[in-house]
Amino acid sequence: RAAEWQLEQPAWSGRLRVTARGSVAFIKLEDKTTGELFAQAPVEQFPGIAVESVTDSSRYFVIRVEDGNGRRAFIGVGFVDRGDAFDFNVALQDHFKWVKQQSELARQAKNPEQGPKLDLGFKEGQTIKLNIANMKKKEGAAGTTRPRPVAPGSLSLLPPPPGGKLPSGERPSSLSNPTQLPGTPITDSLLSWPQPTAAPSATTGDVWGDFAKASG
C-alpha cells in the first residue's frame, strides 16, 4: 500500500526512463539534471515480480532494482502526474507485445507447415452473388447500345384487332385498299371489299375466276 510510505518526504526524486535491449526492458532512475544513473531494474516479463502495482493507487509501483553484482532491492516509486504513470505502464506493455510477436514470427519461420492455412475453396452448399444490374456496356465512341435484332417472322407492332371501338371524337378514315391478316376476316362495317363487275365475255377470259362466284 502506497499509503504506508512516507510520500511527503521521498528518499530520492528524479526522472524515470524505460529502455530496451533485445527482449529485456530496463527501468532507469536517473538524476533529472545530470542524467547520472541512480538505479535500474531489468524487466524480463510483464506483469511479473520485477514490476508490481500497489493496491490503493494507480500512480505508484514497486520495482526490483539490481546493481549488477547480484544484489537486489525492492523500492517504491510514484508519479506526481497520473498521465505519466499511465504512459509508464503502456510502454512496458508495448515492449512485451512486440517481444511476443517476434517470437511467433521466429517460430513460424522454423515450422512454416504449422501455421494456419488459408482455405479459399467453396464449402458445400456455399454460393456467391454478383450484382451486375448497374453495369453499363458501351459500344462505339458515342456509347450507344445496339438495337436488339428482330427474329424472322415476328412483328414489332401489332395492328389493333378488327371491330375495336374508336375513341370518342375521332372519325374513321376511309381505306381504299384494306389489308387483311391471314386467317382474320374483316367484319367492320367501315371496311368493304370492292364488288366485282359483271363477268367478262368469253373472248376476254374469266379474269375473276371463282372469286366472282363467292357470296359476299
PDB file of all heavy atoms in Angstrom, residues 173-207:
ATOM      1  N   SER A 173     -61.000   6.991 -90.853  1.00  0.00           N
ATOM      2  CA  SER A 173     -60.525   7.356 -92.183  1.00  0.00           C
ATOM      3  C   SER A 173     -60.857   6.240 -93.145  1.00  0.00           C
ATOM      4  O   SER A 173     -60.767   5.067 -92.802  1.00  0.00           O
ATOM      5  CB  SER A 173     -59.020   7.614 -92.162  1.00  0.00           C
ATOM      6  OG  SER A 173     -58.344   6.467 -91.740  1.00  0.00           O
ATOM      7  N   SER A 174     -61.264   6.616 -94.334  1.00  0.00           N
ATOM      8  CA  SER A 174     -61.643   5.621 -95.334  1.00  0.00           C
ATOM      9  C   SER A 174     -60.413   4.943 -95.887  1.00  0.00           C
ATOM     10  O   SER A 174     -59.388   5.584 -96.140  1.00  0.00           O
ATOM     11  CB  SER A 174     -62.423   6.303 -96.462  1.00  0.00           C
ATOM     12  OG  SER A 174     -61.616   7.286 -97.078  1.00  0.00           O
ATOM     13  N   LEU A 175     -60.479   3.663 -96.044  1.00  0.00           N
ATOM     14  CA  LEU A 175     -59.383   2.883 -96.572  1.00  0.00           C
ATOM     15  C   LEU A 175     -59.777   2.363 -97.931  1.00  0.00           C
ATOM     16  O   LEU A 175     -60.818   1.703 -98.083  1.00  0.00           O
ATOM     17  CB  LEU A 175     -59.052   1.713 -95.641  1.00  0.00           C
ATOM     18  CG  LEU A 175     -58.596   2.099 -94.228  1.00  0.00           C
ATOM     19  CD1 LEU A 175     -58.349   0.849 -93.405  1.00  0.00           C
ATOM     20  CD2 LEU A 175     -57.349   2.962 -94.277  1.00  0.00           C
ATOM     21  N   SER A 176     -58.995   2.685 -98.934  1.00  0.00           N
ATOM     22  CA  SER A 176     -59.307   2.229-100.280  1.00  0.00           C
ATOM     23  C   SER A 176     -58.905   0.785-100.472  1.00  0.00           C
ATOM     24  O   SER A 176     -59.606   0.016-101.115  1.00  0.00           O
ATOM     25  CB  SER A 176     -58.602   3.126-101.313  1.00  0.00           C
ATOM     26  OG  SER A 176     -57.208   3.083-101.113  1.00  0.00           O
ATOM     27  N   ASN A 177     -57.780   0.412 -99.908  1.00  0.00           N
ATOM     28  CA  ASN A 177     -57.284  -0.958-100.058  1.00  0.00           C
ATOM     29  C   ASN A 177     -56.995  -1.524 -98.676  1.00  0.00           C
ATOM     30  O   ASN A 177     -55.869  -1.459 -98.190  1.00  0.00           O
ATOM     31  CB  ASN A 177     -56.028  -0.993-100.928  1.00  0.00           C
ATOM     32  CG  ASN A 177     -56.303  -0.571-102.348  1.00  0.00           C
ATOM     33  OD1 ASN A 177     -57.358  -0.889-102.903  1.00  0.00           O
ATOM     34  ND2 ASN A 177     -55.347   0.142-102.942  1.00  0.00           N
ATOM     35  N   PRO A 178     -57.955  -1.997 -97.975  1.00  0.00           N
ATOM     36  CA  PRO A 178     -57.706  -2.522 -96.632  1.00  0.00           C
ATOM     37  C   PRO A 178     -56.846  -3.774 -96.700  1.00  0.00           C
ATOM     38  O   PRO A 178     -56.907  -4.530 -97.647  1.00  0.00           O
ATOM     39  CB  PRO A 178     -59.117  -2.827 -96.097  1.00  0.00           C
ATOM     40  CG  PRO A 178     -59.923  -3.058 -97.328  1.00  0.00           C
ATOM     41  CD  PRO A 178     -59.391  -2.132 -98.377  1.00  0.00           C
ATOM     42  N   THR A 179     -56.082  -3.933 -95.662  1.00  0.00           N
ATOM     43  CA  THR A 179     -55.168  -5.077 -95.575  1.00  0.00           C
ATOM     44  C   THR A 179     -55.739  -6.083 -94.603  1.00  0.00           C
ATOM     45  O   THR A 179     -56.171  -5.730 -93.500  1.00  0.00           O
ATOM     46  CB  THR A 179     -53.787  -4.632 -95.095  1.00  0.00           C
ATOM     47  OG1 THR A 179     -53.318  -3.634 -95.998  1.00  0.00           O
ATOM     48  CG2 THR A 179     -52.820  -5.808 -95.079  1.00  0.00           C
ATOM     49  N   GLN A 180     -55.773  -7.299 -94.988  1.00  0.00           N
ATOM     50  CA  GLN A 180     -56.330  -8.351 -94.155  1.00  0.00           C
ATOM     51  C   GLN A 180     -55.228  -9.295 -93.737  1.00  0.00           C
ATOM     52  O   GLN A 180     -54.415  -9.708 -94.560  1.00  0.00           O
ATOM     53  CB  GLN A 180     -57.412  -9.115 -94.925  1.00  0.00           C
ATOM     54  CG  GLN A 180     -58.044 -10.255 -94.102  1.00  0.00           C
ATOM     55  CD  GLN A 180     -59.050 -11.014 -94.900  1.00  0.00           C
ATOM     56  OE1 GLN A 180     -59.184 -10.787 -96.094  1.00  0.00           O
ATOM     57  NE2 GLN A 180     -59.751 -11.918 -94.251  1.00  0.00           N
ATOM     58  N   LEU A 181     -55.150  -9.577 -92.446  1.00  0.00           N
ATOM     59  CA  LEU A 181     -54.187 -10.536 -91.940  1.00  0.00           C
ATOM     60  C   LEU A 181     -54.642 -11.936 -92.312  1.00  0.00           C
ATOM     61  O   LEU A 181     -55.836 -12.204 -92.391  1.00  0.00           O
ATOM     62  CB  LEU A 181     -54.049 -10.418 -90.416  1.00  0.00           C
ATOM     63  CG  LEU A 181     -53.432  -9.114 -89.897  1.00  0.00           C
ATOM     64  CD1 LEU A 181     -53.403  -9.125 -88.383  1.00  0.00           C
ATOM     65  CD2 LEU A 181     -52.031  -8.945 -90.453  1.00  0.00           C
ATOM     66  N   PRO A 182     -53.696 -12.818 -92.510  1.00  0.00           N
ATOM     67  CA  PRO A 182     -54.069 -14.186 -92.869  1.00  0.00           C
ATOM     68  C   PRO A 182     -54.936 -14.805 -91.791  1.00  0.00           C
ATOM     69  O   PRO A 182     -54.590 -14.797 -90.608  1.00  0.00           O
ATOM     70  CB  PRO A 182     -52.727 -14.905 -92.996  1.00  0.00           C
ATOM     71  CG  PRO A 182     -51.739 -13.810 -93.247  1.00  0.00           C
ATOM     72  CD  PRO A 182     -52.251 -12.623 -92.533  1.00  0.00           C
ATOM     73  N   GLY A 183     -56.055 -15.384 -92.207  1.00  0.00           N
ATOM     74  CA  GLY A 183     -56.920 -16.087 -91.274  1.00  0.00           C
ATOM     75  C   GLY A 183     -57.811 -15.195 -90.465  1.00  0.00           C
ATOM     76  O   GLY A 183     -58.491 -15.661 -89.551  1.00  0.00           O
ATOM     77  N   THR A 184     -57.804 -13.848 -90.688  1.00  0.00           N
ATOM     78  CA  THR A 184     -58.609 -12.924 -89.896  1.00  0.00           C
ATOM     79  C   THR A 184     -59.587 -12.215 -90.814  1.00  0.00           C
ATOM     80  O   THR A 184     -59.185 -11.388 -91.641  1.00  0.00           O
ATOM     81  CB  THR A 184     -57.725 -11.897 -89.186  1.00  0.00           C
ATOM     82  OG1 THR A 184     -56.757 -12.592 -88.420  1.00  0.00           O
ATOM     83  CG2 THR A 184     -58.551 -11.010 -88.271  1.00  0.00           C
ATOM     84  N   PRO A 185     -60.871 -12.525 -90.786  1.00  0.00           N
ATOM     85  CA  PRO A 185     -61.847 -11.856 -91.673  1.00  0.00           C
ATOM     86  C   PRO A 185     -62.091 -10.436 -91.225  1.00  0.00           C
ATOM     87  O   PRO A 185     -62.000 -10.116 -90.045  1.00  0.00           O
ATOM     88  CB  PRO A 185     -63.104 -12.718 -91.526  1.00  0.00           C
ATOM     89  CG  PRO A 185     -62.973 -13.321 -90.167  1.00  0.00           C
ATOM     90  CD  PRO A 185     -61.520 -13.543 -89.938  1.00  0.00           C
ATOM     91  N   ILE A 186     -62.361  -9.574 -92.177  1.00  0.00           N
ATOM     92  CA  ILE A 186     -62.662  -8.176 -91.889  1.00  0.00           C
ATOM     93  C   ILE A 186     -64.169  -8.048 -91.799  1.00  0.00           C
ATOM     94  O   ILE A 186     -64.890  -8.250 -92.790  1.00  0.00           O
ATOM     95  CB  ILE A 186     -62.083  -7.244 -92.966  1.00  0.00           C
ATOM     96  CG1 ILE A 186     -60.559  -7.361 -92.986  1.00  0.00           C
ATOM     97  CG2 ILE A 186     -62.497  -5.804 -92.720  1.00  0.00           C
ATOM     98  CD1 ILE A 186     -59.891  -6.491 -94.028  1.00  0.00           C
ATOM     99  N   THR A 187     -64.675  -7.754 -90.643  1.00  0.00           N
ATOM    100  CA  THR A 187     -66.121  -7.676 -90.425  1.00  0.00           C
ATOM    101  C   THR A 187     -66.569  -6.278 -90.084  1.00  0.00           C
ATOM    102  O   THR A 187     -67.744  -6.053 -89.837  1.00  0.00           O
ATOM    103  CB  THR A 187     -66.521  -8.621 -89.292  1.00  0.00           C
ATOM    104  OG1 THR A 187     -65.794  -8.264 -88.110  1.00  0.00           O
ATOM    105  CG2 THR A 187     -66.187 -10.062 -89.639  1.00  0.00           C
ATOM    106  N   ASP A 188     -65.637  -5.325 -89.995  1.00  0.00           N
ATOM    107  CA  ASP A 188     -66.026  -3.960 -89.660  1.00  0.00           C
ATOM    108  C   ASP A 188     -66.854  -3.391 -90.793  1.00  0.00           C
ATOM    109  O   ASP A 188     -66.528  -3.555 -91.978  1.00  0.00           O
ATOM    110  CB  ASP A 188     -64.775  -3.102 -89.431  1.00  0.00           C
ATOM    111  CG  ASP A 188     -65.110  -1.868 -88.638  1.00  0.00           C
ATOM    112  OD1 ASP A 188     -66.161  -1.267 -88.909  1.00  0.00           O
ATOM    113  OD2 ASP A 188     -64.305  -1.504 -87.751  1.00  0.00           O
ATOM    114  N   SER A 189     -67.959  -2.709 -90.447  1.00  0.00           N
ATOM    115  CA  SER A 189     -68.845  -2.146 -91.462  1.00  0.00           C
ATOM    116  C   SER A 189     -68.190  -1.001 -92.204  1.00  0.00           C
ATOM    117  O   SER A 189     -68.635  -0.618 -93.272  1.00  0.00           O
ATOM    118  CB  SER A 189     -70.149  -1.672 -90.808  1.00  0.00           C
ATOM    119  OG  SER A 189     -69.848  -0.688 -89.833  1.00  0.00           O
ATOM    120  N   LEU A 190     -67.134  -0.423 -91.627  1.00  0.00           N
ATOM    121  CA  LEU A 190     -66.463   0.700 -92.269  1.00  0.00           C
ATOM    122  C   LEU A 190     -65.562   0.244 -93.394  1.00  0.00           C
ATOM    123  O   LEU A 190     -65.127   1.049 -94.198  1.00  0.00           O
ATOM    124  CB  LEU A 190     -65.660   1.493 -91.240  1.00  0.00           C
ATOM    125  CG  LEU A 190     -66.465   2.117 -90.105  1.00  0.00           C
ATOM    126  CD1 LEU A 190     -65.547   2.805 -89.128  1.00  0.00           C
ATOM    127  CD2 LEU A 190     -67.483   3.093 -90.667  1.00  0.00           C
ATOM    128  N   LEU A 191     -65.205  -1.030 -93.402  1.00  0.00           N
ATOM    129  CA  LEU A 191     -64.334  -1.550 -94.428  1.00  0.00           C
ATOM    130  C   LEU A 191     -65.119  -2.494 -95.312  1.00  0.00           C
ATOM    131  O   LEU A 191     -65.913  -3.286 -94.822  1.00  0.00           O
ATOM    132  CB  LEU A 191     -63.151  -2.280 -93.796  1.00  0.00           C
ATOM    133  CG  LEU A 191     -62.282  -1.476 -92.837  1.00  0.00           C
ATOM    134  CD1 LEU A 191     -61.168  -2.347 -92.284  1.00  0.00           C
ATOM    135  CD2 LEU A 191     -61.713  -0.250 -93.533  1.00  0.00           C
ATOM    136  N   SER A 192     -64.899  -2.445 -96.606  1.00  0.00           N
ATOM    137  CA  SER A 192     -65.605  -3.334 -97.529  1.00  0.00           C
ATOM    138  C   SER A 192     -64.726  -3.627 -98.719  1.00  0.00           C
ATOM    139  O   SER A 192     -63.892  -2.801 -99.110  1.00  0.00           O
ATOM    140  CB  SER A 192     -66.925  -2.701 -97.991  1.00  0.00           C
ATOM    141  OG  SER A 192     -66.651  -1.505 -98.702  1.00  0.00           O
ATOM    142  N   TRP A 193     -64.898  -4.822 -99.199  1.00  0.00           N
ATOM    143  CA  TRP A 193     -64.153  -5.219-100.403  1.00  0.00           C
ATOM    144  C   TRP A 193     -64.873  -4.640-101.628  1.00  0.00           C
ATOM    145  O   TRP A 193     -66.100  -4.596-101.682  1.00  0.00           O
ATOM    146  CB  TRP A 193     -64.086  -6.744-100.531  1.00  0.00           C
ATOM    147  CG  TRP A 193     -63.172  -7.355 -99.532  1.00  0.00           C
ATOM    148  CD1 TRP A 193     -63.514  -7.997 -98.393  1.00  0.00           C
ATOM    149  CD2 TRP A 193     -61.763  -7.398 -99.595  1.00  0.00           C
ATOM    150  NE1 TRP A 193     -62.423  -8.431 -97.724  1.00  0.00           N
ATOM    151  CE2 TRP A 193     -61.304  -8.075 -98.453  1.00  0.00           C
ATOM    152  CE3 TRP A 193     -60.802  -6.925-100.509  1.00  0.00           C
ATOM    153  CZ2 TRP A 193     -59.975  -8.306 -98.185  1.00  0.00           C
ATOM    154  CZ3 TRP A 193     -59.459  -7.161-100.230  1.00  0.00           C
ATOM    155  CH2 TRP A 193     -59.060  -7.824 -99.093  1.00  0.00           C
ATOM    156  N   PRO A 194     -64.143  -4.226-102.626  1.00  0.00           N
ATOM    157  CA  PRO A 194     -64.828  -3.740-103.853  1.00  0.00           C
ATOM    158  C   PRO A 194     -65.534  -4.883-104.544  1.00  0.00           C
ATOM    159  O   PRO A 194     -64.995  -5.980-104.665  1.00  0.00           O
ATOM    160  CB  PRO A 194     -63.681  -3.163-104.683  1.00  0.00           C
ATOM    161  CG  PRO A 194     -62.467  -3.849-104.179  1.00  0.00           C
ATOM    162  CD  PRO A 194     -62.709  -4.106-102.725  1.00  0.00           C
ATOM    163  N   GLN A 195     -66.782  -4.661-104.942  1.00  0.00           N
ATOM    164  CA  GLN A 195     -67.570  -5.696-105.606  1.00  0.00           C
ATOM    165  C   GLN A 195     -67.090  -5.864-107.042  1.00  0.00           C
ATOM    166  O   GLN A 195     -66.795  -4.885-107.737  1.00  0.00           O
ATOM    167  CB  GLN A 195     -69.062  -5.317-105.596  1.00  0.00           C
ATOM    168  CG  GLN A 195     -69.641  -5.225-104.200  1.00  0.00           C
ATOM    169  CD  GLN A 195     -69.585  -6.550-103.488  1.00  0.00           C
ATOM    170  OE1 GLN A 195     -69.727  -7.595-104.139  1.00  0.00           O
ATOM    171  NE2 GLN A 195     -69.405  -6.528-102.180  1.00  0.00           N
ATOM    172  N   PRO A 196     -66.987  -7.090-107.493  1.00  0.00           N
ATOM    173  CA  PRO A 196     -66.534  -7.317-108.869  1.00  0.00           C
ATOM    174  C   PRO A 196     -67.607  -6.899-109.866  1.00  0.00           C
ATOM    175  O   PRO A 196     -68.797  -6.907-109.581  1.00  0.00           O
ATOM    176  CB  PRO A 196     -66.281  -8.816-108.902  1.00  0.00           C
ATOM    177  CG  PRO A 196     -67.160  -9.373-107.848  1.00  0.00           C
ATOM    178  CD  PRO A 196     -67.235  -8.339-106.773  1.00  0.00           C
ATOM    179  N   THR A 197     -67.166  -6.522-111.017  1.00  0.00           N
ATOM    180  CA  THR A 197     -68.072  -6.137-112.093  1.00  0.00           C
ATOM    181  C   THR A 197     -68.642  -7.373-112.763  1.00  0.00           C
ATOM    182  O   THR A 197     -68.325  -8.502-112.373  1.00  0.00           O
ATOM    183  CB  THR A 197     -67.321  -5.271-113.120  1.00  0.00           C
ATOM    184  OG1 THR A 197     -66.208  -6.023-113.597  1.00  0.00           O
ATOM    185  CG2 THR A 197     -66.810  -3.991-112.453  1.00  0.00           C
ATOM    186  N   ALA A 198     -69.425  -7.141-113.752  1.00  0.00           N
ATOM    187  CA  ALA A 198     -70.060  -8.270-114.441  1.00  0.00           C
ATOM    188  C   ALA A 198     -69.014  -9.150-115.073  1.00  0.00           C
ATOM    189  O   ALA A 198     -67.919  -8.699-115.418  1.00  0.00           O
ATOM    190  CB  ALA A 198     -71.040  -7.754-115.507  1.00  0.00           C
ATOM    191  N   ALA A 199     -69.363 -10.374-115.212  1.00  0.00           N
ATOM    192  CA  ALA A 199     -68.412 -11.333-115.771  1.00  0.00           C
ATOM    193  C   ALA A 199     -68.041 -10.945-117.167  1.00  0.00           C
ATOM    194  O   ALA A 199     -68.902 -10.586-117.976  1.00  0.00           O
ATOM    195  CB  ALA A 199     -69.032 -12.724-115.746  1.00  0.00           C
ATOM    196  N   PRO A 200     -66.800 -10.953-117.508  1.00  0.00           N
ATOM    197  CA  PRO A 200     -66.369 -10.564-118.849  1.00  0.00           C
ATOM    198  C   PRO A 200     -66.789 -11.608-119.855  1.00  0.00           C
ATOM    199  O   PRO A 200     -67.194 -12.708-119.524  1.00  0.00           O
ATOM    200  CB  PRO A 200     -64.851 -10.467-118.710  1.00  0.00           C
ATOM    201  CG  PRO A 200     -64.517 -11.362-117.574  1.00  0.00           C
ATOM    202  CD  PRO A 200     -65.692 -11.303-116.652  1.00  0.00           C
ATOM    203  N   SER A 201     -66.679 -11.180-121.074  1.00  0.00           N
ATOM    204  CA  SER A 201     -67.072 -12.081-122.163  1.00  0.00           C
ATOM    205  C   SER A 201     -66.105 -13.213-122.273  1.00  0.00           C
ATOM    206  O   SER A 201     -64.989 -13.174-121.737  1.00  0.00           O
ATOM    207  CB  SER A 201     -67.143 -11.298-123.486  1.00  0.00           C
ATOM    208  OG  SER A 201     -65.868 -10.765-123.796  1.00  0.00           O
ATOM    209  N   ALA A 202     -66.537 -14.203-122.980  1.00  0.00           N
ATOM    210  CA  ALA A 202     -65.696 -15.391-123.117  1.00  0.00           C
ATOM    211  C   ALA A 202     -64.459 -15.114-123.905  1.00  0.00           C
ATOM    212  O   ALA A 202     -63.466 -15.823-123.793  1.00  0.00           O
ATOM    213  CB  ALA A 202     -66.527 -16.497-123.785  1.00  0.00           C
ATOM    214  N   THR A 203     -64.517 -13.996-124.715  1.00  0.00           N
ATOM    215  CA  THR A 203     -63.354 -13.715-125.541  1.00  0.00           C
ATOM    216  C   THR A 203     -62.218 -13.170-124.715  1.00  0.00           C
ATOM    217  O   THR A 203     -61.040 -13.394-124.999  1.00  0.00           O
ATOM    218  CB  THR A 203     -63.732 -12.716-126.642  1.00  0.00           C
ATOM    219  OG1 THR A 203     -64.240 -11.537-126.032  1.00  0.00           O
ATOM    220  CG2 THR A 203     -64.783 -13.326-127.568  1.00  0.00           C
ATOM    221  N   THR A 204     -62.565 -12.403-123.711  1.00  0.00           N
ATOM    222  CA  THR A 204     -61.507 -11.820-122.870  1.00  0.00           C
ATOM    223  C   THR A 204     -61.025 -12.766-121.812  1.00  0.00           C
ATOM    224  O   THR A 204     -60.006 -12.529-121.187  1.00  0.00           O
ATOM    225  CB  THR A 204     -62.012 -10.537-122.200  1.00  0.00           C
ATOM    226  OG1 THR A 204     -63.163 -10.855-121.423  1.00  0.00           O
ATOM    227  CG2 THR A 204     -62.357  -9.509-123.263  1.00  0.00           C
ATOM    228  N   GLY A 205     -61.752 -13.792-121.513  1.00  0.00           N
ATOM    229  CA  GLY A 205     -61.318 -14.734-120.476  1.00  0.00           C
ATOM    230  C   GLY A 205     -61.913 -14.409-119.129  1.00  0.00           C
ATOM    231  O   GLY A 205     -62.355 -13.296-118.884  1.00  0.00           O
ATOM    232  N   ASP A 206     -61.966 -15.399-118.274  1.00  0.00           N
ATOM    233  CA  ASP A 206     -62.507 -15.228-116.919  1.00  0.00           C
ATOM    234  C   ASP A 206     -61.402 -14.694-116.033  1.00  0.00           C
ATOM    235  O   ASP A 206     -60.538 -15.432-115.566  1.00  0.00           O
ATOM    236  CB  ASP A 206     -63.034 -16.551-116.406  1.00  0.00           C
ATOM    237  CG  ASP A 206     -63.834 -16.364-115.131  1.00  0.00           C
ATOM    238  OD1 ASP A 206     -63.896 -15.207-114.649  1.00  0.00           O
ATOM    239  OD2 ASP A 206     -64.358 -17.369-114.629  1.00  0.00           O
ATOM    240  N   VAL A 207     -61.409 -13.394-115.860  1.00  0.00           N
ATOM    241  CA  VAL A 207     -60.339 -12.758-115.082  1.00  0.00           C
ATOM    242  C   VAL A 207     -60.516 -13.023-113.596  1.00  0.00           C
ATOM    243  O   VAL A 207     -59.592 -13.308-112.875  1.00  0.00           O
ATOM    244  CB  VAL A 207     -60.270 -11.248-115.365  1.00  0.00           C
ATOM    245  CG1 VAL A 207     -59.189 -10.611-114.556  1.00  0.00           C
ATOM    246  CG2 VAL A 207     -60.050 -11.033-116.859  1.00  0.00           C
TER     247      VAL A 207
END
